[in-house]
Amino acid sequence: MTDDTPTSGTPAGATAARGGPGAGTLTAPAPAPADTALVHTVGAQAVEWLYAHRDGFRLDPDADPETGFLERFKPIGELAMIGAVLFREGVAGSRQSDLVRRLLDHVWHEALDSGHMLVRGQRTEPISPIPFEVYLPFRELGYADPAVEEAVRLNQRLDSWAAFEVKPVRRLGLTAFRRRYAALAAPDAAEPAGSGQVPDLHADLRRTWLAARPEPWTVEGHIAYDITHTVFHLTEWGRDPGALPGGLADYLATWLPAWLDDWLDLERWDLLGELLVVDACLPAATLDARAWQGFATAQRPDGAMPALRTVPEGDPDQVFDAVYHPTLVAAFASTLATSRAMAALSDAPPPAAAPA
């Protein structure tokens, strides 16, 4: 849910299981699955904190041009995405669902001024994808502003939009978002409306780090976040684990347990949470009990999840900015893992992986 979180270097334990770029196999037994009640509680507590601190999802209309007006849109877009996942999976309690809906109403109407601030953002930075990325999950949840859609259509026709340089995983995400946006106009079509103008998702995938399945012990913070987002975009944020190509699913199933151990030991809770989401996106999720127990223990009683080691103290706005993302990740990971655990109770077969 972030592509630019600072890295603290290569995990010390990443050399424990080597065997070439994805060729080796871990011989350790499969980890025991986490207690579903513990997993669900992590998400319920995270939602409580997010709602209690809803005023932290704020914009800064008078931001210094060097800082950028669009900088504070990112938390709102991430909130909308996780809210969409929570409603889609349907495993949250009635209180959590109500709080998330009220929270989304608050940020749409109060922070975004019912979409008008997204129009302003698109006019301020015409080729920035941020207003579009923020708008899409709101649009899928039923919030709409025709002026935003007009601005999006206009700016995505610019040559500058096509030439906009981003990392391969960000390009993959933009392609996935554009296909989802096009599908809103033609939900029953075999191909999304206008999909011929949308780049091929798998062509974008081939340029990512994960597609190459490199040596797993070379993974550090930035690469790990790229891995998680590649999985999120391919599986539509956990909706379709079977969309993950078989070769990538096998590679992740082999090495993800080692990466979970590494970042658990480093107490990098934000990244550990995203890797727990990746586990829930695999065709055969492990729901690793040790990783989930450590993750749950790191959460504060009020529901806040630290990014690294412990929650900082100080100015409330600065604390919110340091804590909101790992807390959103906690809600995301909890929702998907709870859904997968409940599906397992019905003995439903895991979704088949896509062709490699």
Side-chain angles (χ1 to χ4, degrees):
M1 299 209 325
T2 180
D3 294 333
D4 52 8
T5 301
T7 174
S8 61
T10 303
T15 57
R18 300 190 178 189
T25 23
L26 297 177
T27 57
D35 177 69
T36 304
L38 177 143
V39 172
H40 185 270
T41 299
V42 167
Q45 292 178 338
V47 167
E48 294 284 347
W49 186 91
L50 292 165
Y51 183 75
H53 295 81
R54 57 194 176 277
D55 289 337
F57 293 96
R58 64 200 186 278
L59 299 184
D60 184 6
D62 301 317
D64 186 287
E66 293 299 316
T67 303
F69 171 55
L70 297 183
E71 181 65 24
R72 295 218 56 84
F73 280 78
K74 186 177 178 183
I76 294 174
E78 292 168 339
L79 170 65
M81 183 62 67
I82 302 315
V85 171
L86 183 142
F87 290 127
R88 182 193 73 206
E89 296 298 324
V91 295
S94 58
R95 174 173 170 79
Q96 286 73 52
S97 296
D98 178 60
L99 289 180
V100 171
R101 176 57 73 180
R102 289 160 63 186
L103 179 54
L104 290 168
D105 285 344
H106 171 80
V107 297
W108 175 256
H109 295 296
E110 300 298 327
L112 294 178
D113 190 19
S114 302
H116 299 330
M117 297 303 284
L118 291 169
V119 178
R120 175 176 170 178
Q122 195 72 87
R123 290 172 178 167
T124 301
E125 298 186 34
I127 67 166
S128 172
I130 291 175
F132 168 62
E133 292 172 304
V134 172
Y135 182 69
L136 176 62
F138 278 106
R139 180 68 178 81
E140 291 175 328
L141 287 167
Y143 302 88
D145 182 348
V148 177
E149 303 192 24
E150 182 181 356
V152 165
R153 286 193 297 269
L154 172 64
N155 292 323
Q156 291 190 7
R157 288 199 297 265
L158 298 174
D159 291 341
S160 189
W161 168 273
F164 187 58
E165 295 184 2
V166 295
K167 294 176 64 175
V169 66
R170 184 75 181 281
R171 180 62 63 193
L172 176 72
L174 287 174
T175 297
F177 270 45
R178 290 178 70 193
R179 292 182 67 84
R180 286 166 52 188
Y181 182 71
L184 289 172
D188 299 322
E191 287 292 328
S195 62
Q197 292 141 11
V198 178
D200 177 57
L201 198 68
H202 291 282
D204 290 337
L205 171 62
R206 287 192 289 271
R207 302 183 185 97
T208 64
W209 186 96
L210 181 59
R213 287 176 273 173
E215 299 80 4
W217 56 88
T218 63
V219 173
E220 43 72 51
H222 285 296
I223 292 175
Y225 279 108
D226 288 349
I227 291 170
T228 64
H229 280 67
T230 301
V231 173
F232 299 166
H233 297 314
L234 290 175
T235 63
E236 290 190 29
W237 297 76
R239 183 190 67 81
D240 184 11
L244 198 62
L248 297 189
D250 292 343
Y251 176 83
L252 289 166
T254 298
W255 297 109
L256 185 59
W259 296 335
L260 288 171
D261 281 346
D262 286 329
W263 275 289
L264 173 61
D265 292 342
L266 291 171
E267 299 183 354
R268 283 193 65 177
W269 308 117
D270 187 73
L271 183 48
L272 179 65
E274 290 208 6
L275 291 171
L276 289 171
V277 175
V278 170
D279 175 64
C281 289
L282 295 179
T286 66
L287 310 181
D288 188 302
R290 179 174 180 266
W292 268 105
Q293 183 61 59
F295 192 58
T297 300
Q299 188 176 35
R300 284 201 330 194
D302 66 355
M305 180 67 74
L308 176 67
R309 290 188 286 275
T310 59
V311 172
E313 298 181 359
D315 177 78
D317 285 345
Q318 293 179 351
V319 171
F320 176 88
D321 291 347
V323 168
Y324 87 86
H325 187 268
T327 306
L328 276 173
V329 169
F332 185 17
S334 168
T335 297
L336 280 187
T338 300
S339 182
R340 296 302 299 276
M342 293 180 69
L345 294 176
S346 67
D347 294 324

